[in-house]
Amino acid sequence: MEFTALSLLGAFLMLIMGVAEYAVLKRYIYVPMRDRHERDKVTGSQKTDPVVFWNMAKAMFFVIMPLIGFVFGDAILSPFFR
């Protein structure tokens, strides 16, 4: 693994993709899941709190994806820029 401009570009691109996924999933997945969880709390049939899954997803979007982009960015992007 080398620290190059392409590895930083890979990390940045993966961060942008993570932010886009975060916005889409927050809008279309998390809100209905949270509403269903709140509705099920009334009857006592709720499962795991959606916040647990959402925290794991945020870790993936903002930490793991940019880290993967940093590690593999040079190898993937070098044919396009050299």
Side-chain angles (χ1 to χ4, degrees), residues 53-66:
F53 299 113
W54 194 243
N55 287 336
M56 290 187 308
K58 285 194 293 189
M60 182 184 68
F61 297 146
F62 299 124
V63 176
I64 296 172
M65 284 179 61

Side-chain angles (χ1 to χ4, degrees), residues 39-47:
R39 188 174 53 241
D40 289 345
K41 278 180 19 180
V42 174
T43 61
S45 63
Q46 80 273 12
K47 304 279 192 272

Side-chain angles (χ1 to χ4, degrees), residues 3-39:
F3 185 77
T4 63
L6 290 178
S7 61
L8 290 177
L9 180 63
F12 181 69
L13 291 175
M14 290 296 276
L15 180 64
I16 295 298
M17 287 175 41
V19 169
E21 286 182 47
Y22 174 82
V24 169
L25 290 180
K26 180 80 171 180
R27 167 84 182 194
Y28 295 110
I29 300 292
Y30 179 72
V31 173
M33 187 184 337
R34 185 74 194 167
D35 291 342
R36 191 176 313 116
H37 179 74
E38 292 297 325
R39 188 174 53 241

